[in-house]
Amino acid sequence: MKSLSAYHALCEEIWEHNYHYFVENAPKISDRAFDQLFAELIEIEKAHPDWVSPSSPTQRVGEILSGGFPLASHTTPMLSLANSYSRDEVQVFLERMEKLLLPHEIEYVTELKMDGIAISVRYEKGVLVRALTRGNGEKGEQITSNIRTIASLPLQLRAPFPDTLEARGEVFMPKSAFQALNERQTQRGKQLFANPRNAAGGSLKLLDPQEVSQRGLAISFYGIAEISGREPASHFEALDYLRTLGLPIVGEYQRCSNFEEIMGFATQVEKCRFQLPFEIDGVVIKIDPLKAQKKLGVTGKNYRWAIAYKFAAERVETVVRDITVQIGRTGVLTPVAELDPVFVAGSTISRATLHNQEEIERKDVRVGDTVFIEKGGDVIPKIVSVCLEKRPRGAKPWKLPAHCPVCGTPLLQSESEVAVRCPNKRGCEAQGLKRLIHYASKGGMDIEHLGEKVINGLVELGFVKKLSDLYTLTPEQLSCLKNFKEKSIQNVLSSLERSKEVSLARFLMALGIPHVGAETAELLARRAGCIEALYQIGEDELLEIDGVGPIVAESVVTFFTDPEHQEEIQRLLDYGVHPVVIQSKGFDSHSFNGKTFVLTGALENYTRAGAAAVIKKRGGKVSSSVSRQTDYLLVGADPGSKLEKAKKLGVKILDEEAFASLL
Ligand code: IVH
């Protein structure tokens, strides 16, 4: 690096990547590539200390604050770890420790490096009082209400607990939750999350804890930042102690005395990393005695007593043979790369989604290109980049067709989303097929023996076009399917018959109303009581349902006011489909049944979402504003103007204790 302007350009470039990583939650380069840029910057600054500008990325700890949450100061700074990528670098770390510590202080703990978002959680008198992101290391964002929605995080420590405890850990999204989230994003035509880490980050920054609670986040703790009373003597003991307090602890950890033991642990973990239900990006090696940790202190923005040993994501090369287009049930088009099959991270893959046109242009993927594929565990494989040297001559940039490849209708790109859709909802066979598959699927009517293959066959034979056609199937028609004998025919017919008795919520899910998932379907079913009521329901009434926003309300009204949808639903009912509202068992006669609640102020023992859930479970409703229809106002600390209004209207007011006793 020669010039000052090149130095400034590198600073800019790193800031730009920081922005994409932390704010957009959509990194443009791998962590490793980022670290390389950062290392380059450090090198330059070492050589030219007079160049270092106060706004260099090296001059600040941690991430950009994205706004939206109140800030609070960390009681002790929340720093980071230096990274290493090779055995040699680990060896150098160990040598440094040997130089700086006395022989009896040298004991290590090696543990999983969870790939998520660092968090500091504070308990006072055993009760969770605050959760902060790392932020800039000095101040973090207060995301307590979002953190409280994490199912595995206790709101109360197990006794005996210290007066104050601030524990540090990682919030992450398990692979299964990540997959489910991206499936939902696809269905809604929204941008996909690049990986579980970014999905966890994005989820924690949501402003609605109810939404966060549906993201399936989890947490693991790996250290203590502050504790009153007696401190554990070692990191190993600290982890055990956190566990006795009821906190989930970082998956695997082991005491190690030397390089061989550390590398043995790392190798074992690396071998089975893809079998883990969550993503890790390496292991962390820490000095065990806490006294020795304190003695070592910090170096710049990192703790000196620990180092991360990062695994490279498994990466393979393959060739893009073709780029095809898939059409979802809501008409969203997804380009897919058809690959020469390769084995990566535990399985063979032959296709990889390319998400959308923007993504293809960004990576410039063309048919015939050799590409690098990365896959973490059972997370969807992704094309990381193109190997340009191997690009065949004449390979042309790929473009989404202007017309639907199945029905020929001109495609639509709405302004509010990246997705391109085929607007021909009724006539497009591809969408019809996907709707049928969805209707019969586990998440829909759950019709056994009527999987994708069978439905494909029935559509190809021309026996089934719309949902209601399924209920007109005859044994003769079914016998035309390949390998379909008496038994299989009977199986399908009985499953179809059984599916007719169904909960209204499941039926609504199965209809495939855009933006209506399981949770929303449940809310709609309870509110409407019967399917016919939904034909008349207006957006205003839908918006009164806690958990229904304007996009869902509009989608529901559009769907049910469409005469063709009404006719199709009527046909289904005529064939005997009988959707009913199923009241939650055991609470039918509960005093909350049919009552409308409004919540205000901060509750001590519940999150808003949690309180809403227990009310709904008992047949009650939760509404966002106080009106004459409100039966109860549940009041926490610092209530808002709702309290005054409720008093005026004579609404019954419950504090948390009264609420608990009614429960
Ligand atoms: S100890 C707050 N131990 O890795 C710093 N960190 O690259 C605590 N991480 O910011 C450092 N697993 O978010 C530590 N077992 C573990 C970890 C871990 C994941 C994260 C943490 C940190 C980042 C540094």
PDB file of all heavy atoms in Angstrom, residues 566-584:
ATOM      1  N   GLN A 566     -64.769 -16.902  -3.167  1.00  0.00           N
ATOM      2  CA  GLN A 566     -65.996 -17.269  -2.429  1.00  0.00           C
ATOM      3  C   GLN A 566     -66.632 -18.508  -3.061  1.00  0.00           C
ATOM      4  O   GLN A 566     -67.057 -19.422  -2.358  1.00  0.00           O
ATOM      5  CB  GLN A 566     -66.985 -16.102  -2.438  1.00  0.00           C
ATOM      6  CG  GLN A 566     -66.504 -14.917  -1.607  1.00  0.00           C
ATOM      7  CD  GLN A 566     -67.566 -13.838  -1.454  1.00  0.00           C
ATOM      8  OE1 GLN A 566     -68.718 -14.022  -1.835  1.00  0.00           O
ATOM      9  NE2 GLN A 566     -67.178 -12.713  -0.884  1.00  0.00           N
ATOM     10  N   GLU A 567     -66.686 -18.521  -4.394  1.00  0.00           N
ATOM     11  CA  GLU A 567     -67.303 -19.682  -5.066  1.00  0.00           C
ATOM     12  C   GLU A 567     -66.521 -20.961  -4.782  1.00  0.00           C
ATOM     13  O   GLU A 567     -67.102 -22.012  -4.530  1.00  0.00           O
ATOM     14  CB  GLU A 567     -67.341 -19.450  -6.585  1.00  0.00           C
ATOM     15  CG  GLU A 567     -68.501 -18.570  -7.021  1.00  0.00           C
ATOM     16  CD  GLU A 567     -68.289 -18.025  -8.429  1.00  0.00           C
ATOM     17  OE1 GLU A 567     -67.618 -18.705  -9.238  1.00  0.00           O
ATOM     18  OE2 GLU A 567     -68.773 -16.906  -8.693  1.00  0.00           O
ATOM     19  N   GLU A 568     -65.197 -20.836  -4.837  1.00  0.00           N
ATOM     20  CA  GLU A 568     -64.365 -22.030  -4.609  1.00  0.00           C
ATOM     21  C   GLU A 568     -64.533 -22.527  -3.168  1.00  0.00           C
ATOM     22  O   GLU A 568     -64.631 -23.730  -2.929  1.00  0.00           O
ATOM     23  CB  GLU A 568     -62.898 -21.700  -4.920  1.00  0.00           C
ATOM     24  CG  GLU A 568     -61.898 -22.790  -4.633  1.00  0.00           C
ATOM     25  CD  GLU A 568     -62.038 -24.059  -5.478  1.00  0.00           C
ATOM     26  OE1 GLU A 568     -63.048 -24.209  -6.193  1.00  0.00           O
ATOM     27  OE2 GLU A 568     -61.155 -24.928  -5.370  1.00  0.00           O
ATOM     28  N   ILE A 569     -64.591 -21.599  -2.220  1.00  0.00           N
ATOM     29  CA  ILE A 569     -64.794 -22.008  -0.825  1.00  0.00           C
ATOM     30  C   ILE A 569     -66.153 -22.701  -0.707  1.00  0.00           C
ATOM     31  O   ILE A 569     -66.294 -23.743  -0.060  1.00  0.00           O
ATOM     32  CB  ILE A 569     -64.678 -20.794   0.126  1.00  0.00           C
ATOM     33  CG1 ILE A 569     -63.231 -20.297   0.147  1.00  0.00           C
ATOM     34  CG2 ILE A 569     -65.146 -21.146   1.529  1.00  0.00           C
ATOM     35  CD1 ILE A 569     -63.017 -18.971   0.846  1.00  0.00           C
ATOM     36  N   GLN A 570     -67.170 -22.123  -1.378  1.00  0.00           N
ATOM     37  CA  GLN A 570     -68.507 -22.729  -1.312  1.00  0.00           C
ATOM     38  C   GLN A 570     -68.477 -24.152  -1.858  1.00  0.00           C
ATOM     39  O   GLN A 570     -69.064 -25.068  -1.279  1.00  0.00           O
ATOM     40  CB  GLN A 570     -69.528 -21.864  -2.082  1.00  0.00           C
ATOM     41  CG  GLN A 570     -70.985 -22.215  -1.798  1.00  0.00           C
ATOM     42  CD  GLN A 570     -71.274 -22.271  -0.285  1.00  0.00           C
ATOM     43  OE1 GLN A 570     -70.952 -21.338   0.455  1.00  0.00           O
ATOM     44  NE2 GLN A 570     -71.846 -23.384   0.185  1.00  0.00           N
ATOM     45  N   ARG A 571     -67.730 -24.345  -2.968  1.00  0.00           N
ATOM     46  CA  ARG A 571     -67.639 -25.699  -3.536  1.00  0.00           C
ATOM     47  C   ARG A 571     -67.016 -26.648  -2.521  1.00  0.00           C
ATOM     48  O   ARG A 571     -67.497 -27.768  -2.320  1.00  0.00           O
ATOM     49  CB  ARG A 571     -66.797 -25.683  -4.822  1.00  0.00           C
ATOM     50  CG  ARG A 571     -67.603 -25.371  -6.079  1.00  0.00           C
ATOM     51  CD  ARG A 571     -66.764 -25.624  -7.322  1.00  0.00           C
ATOM     52  NE  ARG A 571     -65.662 -24.673  -7.447  1.00  0.00           N
ATOM     53  CZ  ARG A 571     -65.756 -23.502  -8.084  1.00  0.00           C
ATOM     54  NH1 ARG A 571     -66.886 -23.146  -8.671  1.00  0.00           N
ATOM     55  NH2 ARG A 571     -64.736 -22.689  -8.149  1.00  0.00           N
ATOM     56  N   LEU A 572     -65.963 -26.183  -1.849  1.00  0.00           N
ATOM     57  CA  LEU A 572     -65.310 -27.048  -0.848  1.00  0.00           C
ATOM     58  C   LEU A 572     -66.297 -27.418   0.253  1.00  0.00           C
ATOM     59  O   LEU A 572     -66.392 -28.576   0.678  1.00  0.00           O
ATOM     60  CB  LEU A 572     -64.086 -26.344  -0.252  1.00  0.00           C
ATOM     61  CG  LEU A 572     -62.876 -26.216  -1.177  1.00  0.00           C
ATOM     62  CD1 LEU A 572     -61.860 -25.214  -0.637  1.00  0.00           C
ATOM     63  CD2 LEU A 572     -62.198 -27.582  -1.364  1.00  0.00           C
ATOM     64  N   LEU A 573     -67.069 -26.418   0.691  1.00  0.00           N
ATOM     65  CA  LEU A 573     -68.052 -26.688   1.754  1.00  0.00           C
ATOM     66  C   LEU A 573     -69.114 -27.665   1.241  1.00  0.00           C
ATOM     67  O   LEU A 573     -69.524 -28.581   1.952  1.00  0.00           O
ATOM     68  CB  LEU A 573     -68.721 -25.393   2.239  1.00  0.00           C
ATOM     69  CG  LEU A 573     -67.799 -24.296   2.791  1.00  0.00           C
ATOM     70  CD1 LEU A 573     -68.619 -23.122   3.331  1.00  0.00           C
ATOM     71  CD2 LEU A 573     -66.875 -24.817   3.878  1.00  0.00           C
ATOM     72  N   ASP A 574     -69.540 -27.480  -0.014  1.00  0.00           N
ATOM     73  CA  ASP A 574     -70.557 -28.376  -0.584  1.00  0.00           C
ATOM     74  C   ASP A 574     -70.060 -29.820  -0.658  1.00  0.00           C
ATOM     75  O   ASP A 574     -70.829 -30.759  -0.519  1.00  0.00           O
ATOM     76  CB  ASP A 574     -70.979 -27.904  -1.984  1.00  0.00           C
ATOM     77  CG  ASP A 574     -71.761 -26.593  -1.918  1.00  0.00           C
ATOM     78  OD1 ASP A 574     -72.229 -26.239  -0.802  1.00  0.00           O
ATOM     79  OD2 ASP A 574     -71.880 -25.907  -2.958  1.00  0.00           O
ATOM     80  N   TYR A 575     -68.750 -29.977  -0.877  1.00  0.00           N
ATOM     81  CA  TYR A 575     -68.215 -31.353  -0.911  1.00  0.00           C
ATOM     82  C   TYR A 575     -68.039 -31.925   0.492  1.00  0.00           C
ATOM     83  O   TYR A 575     -67.539 -33.025   0.651  1.00  0.00           O
ATOM     84  CB  TYR A 575     -66.877 -31.386  -1.650  1.00  0.00           C
ATOM     85  CG  TYR A 575     -67.026 -31.211  -3.148  1.00  0.00           C
ATOM     86  CD1 TYR A 575     -66.281 -30.259  -3.826  1.00  0.00           C
ATOM     87  CD2 TYR A 575     -67.922 -32.002  -3.876  1.00  0.00           C
ATOM     88  CE1 TYR A 575     -66.414 -30.090  -5.194  1.00  0.00           C
ATOM     89  CE2 TYR A 575     -68.059 -31.835  -5.240  1.00  0.00           C
ATOM     90  CZ  TYR A 575     -67.319 -30.872  -5.904  1.00  0.00           C
ATOM     91  OH  TYR A 575     -67.465 -30.717  -7.247  1.00  0.00           O
ATOM     92  N   GLY A 576     -68.375 -31.146   1.484  1.00  0.00           N
ATOM     93  CA  GLY A 576     -68.358 -31.688   2.843  1.00  0.00           C
ATOM     94  C   GLY A 576     -67.243 -31.188   3.734  1.00  0.00           C
ATOM     95  O   GLY A 576     -67.128 -31.608   4.885  1.00  0.00           O
ATOM     96  N   VAL A 577     -66.381 -30.291   3.229  1.00  0.00           N
ATOM     97  CA  VAL A 577     -65.346 -29.743   4.116  1.00  0.00           C
ATOM     98  C   VAL A 577     -66.058 -28.915   5.177  1.00  0.00           C
ATOM     99  O   VAL A 577     -66.938 -28.106   4.866  1.00  0.00           O
ATOM    100  CB  VAL A 577     -64.327 -28.877   3.327  1.00  0.00           C
ATOM    101  CG1 VAL A 577     -63.325 -28.238   4.269  1.00  0.00           C
ATOM    102  CG2 VAL A 577     -63.622 -29.725   2.289  1.00  0.00           C
ATOM    103  N   HIS A 578     -65.686 -29.157   6.431  1.00  0.00           N
ATOM    104  CA  HIS A 578     -66.469 -28.602   7.525  1.00  0.00           C
ATOM    105  C   HIS A 578     -65.538 -27.935   8.541  1.00  0.00           C
ATOM    106  O   HIS A 578     -65.194 -28.519   9.571  1.00  0.00           O
ATOM    107  CB  HIS A 578     -67.265 -29.758   8.161  1.00  0.00           C
ATOM    108  CG  HIS A 578     -68.166 -29.304   9.259  1.00  0.00           C
ATOM    109  ND1 HIS A 578     -68.234 -29.959  10.467  1.00  0.00           N
ATOM    110  CD2 HIS A 578     -69.037 -28.273   9.334  1.00  0.00           C
ATOM    111  CE1 HIS A 578     -69.097 -29.328  11.246  1.00  0.00           C
ATOM    112  NE2 HIS A 578     -69.602 -28.314  10.575  1.00  0.00           N
ATOM    113  N   PRO A 579     -65.139 -26.681   8.247  1.00  0.00           N
ATOM    114  CA  PRO A 579     -64.204 -26.045   9.183  1.00  0.00           C
ATOM    115  C   PRO A 579     -64.916 -25.496  10.417  1.00  0.00           C
ATOM    116  O   PRO A 579     -65.932 -24.808  10.284  1.00  0.00           O
ATOM    117  CB  PRO A 579     -63.611 -24.891   8.357  1.00  0.00           C
ATOM    118  CG  PRO A 579     -64.458 -24.752   7.144  1.00  0.00           C
ATOM    119  CD  PRO A 579     -65.478 -25.817   7.105  1.00  0.00           C
ATOM    120  N   VAL A 580     -64.377 -25.808  11.571  1.00  0.00           N
ATOM    121  CA  VAL A 580     -65.000 -25.302  12.811  1.00  0.00           C
ATOM    122  C   VAL A 580     -63.938 -24.668  13.698  1.00  0.00           C
ATOM    123  O   VAL A 580     -62.764 -25.028  13.638  1.00  0.00           O
ATOM    124  CB  VAL A 580     -65.679 -26.435  13.630  1.00  0.00           C
ATOM    125  CG1 VAL A 580     -66.949 -26.909  12.964  1.00  0.00           C
ATOM    126  CG2 VAL A 580     -64.715 -27.572  13.865  1.00  0.00           C
ATOM    127  N   VAL A 581     -64.379 -23.743  14.528  1.00  0.00           N
ATOM    128  CA  VAL A 581     -63.443 -23.133  15.470  1.00  0.00           C
ATOM    129  C   VAL A 581     -63.298 -24.070  16.651  1.00  0.00           C
ATOM    130  O   VAL A 581     -64.283 -24.477  17.253  1.00  0.00           O
ATOM    131  CB  VAL A 581     -63.951 -21.759  15.938  1.00  0.00           C
ATOM    132  CG1 VAL A 581     -63.054 -21.212  17.040  1.00  0.00           C
ATOM    133  CG2 VAL A 581     -63.977 -20.806  14.777  1.00  0.00           C
ATOM    134  N   ILE A 582     -62.072 -24.431  16.937  1.00  0.00           N
ATOM    135  CA  ILE A 582     -61.839 -25.320  18.076  1.00  0.00           C
ATOM    136  C   ILE A 582     -61.377 -24.465  19.243  1.00  0.00           C
ATOM    137  O   ILE A 582     -60.347 -23.792  19.162  1.00  0.00           O
ATOM    138  CB  ILE A 582     -60.785 -26.384  17.718  1.00  0.00           C
ATOM    139  CG1 ILE A 582     -61.313 -27.203  16.550  1.00  0.00           C
ATOM    140  CG2 ILE A 582     -60.459 -27.265  18.913  1.00  0.00           C
ATOM    141  CD1 ILE A 582     -60.315 -28.188  15.986  1.00  0.00           C
ATOM    142  N   GLN A 583     -62.163 -24.474  20.293  1.00  0.00           N
ATOM    143  CA  GLN A 583     -61.774 -23.700  21.476  1.00  0.00           C
ATOM    144  C   GLN A 583     -60.620 -24.417  22.151  1.00  0.00           C
ATOM    145  O   GLN A 583     -60.563 -25.634  22.148  1.00  0.00           O
ATOM    146  CB  GLN A 583     -62.953 -23.601  22.458  1.00  0.00           C
ATOM    147  CG  GLN A 583     -64.042 -22.644  22.023  1.00  0.00           C
ATOM    148  CD  GLN A 583     -63.550 -21.203  21.913  1.00  0.00           C
ATOM    149  OE1 GLN A 583     -62.584 -20.834  22.555  1.00  0.00           O
ATOM    150  NE2 GLN A 583     -64.215 -20.417  21.084  1.00  0.00           N
ATOM    151  N   SER A 584     -59.716 -23.647  22.732  1.00  0.00           N
ATOM    152  CA  SER A 584     -58.602 -24.313  23.394  1.00  0.00           C
ATOM    153  C   SER A 584     -59.148 -25.167  24.531  1.00  0.00           C
ATOM    154  O   SER A 584     -59.984 -24.717  25.303  1.00  0.00           O
ATOM    155  CB  SER A 584     -57.617 -23.281  23.909  1.00  0.00           C
ATOM    156  OG  SER A 584     -58.327 -22.263  24.551  1.00  0.00           O
TER     157      SER A 584
END
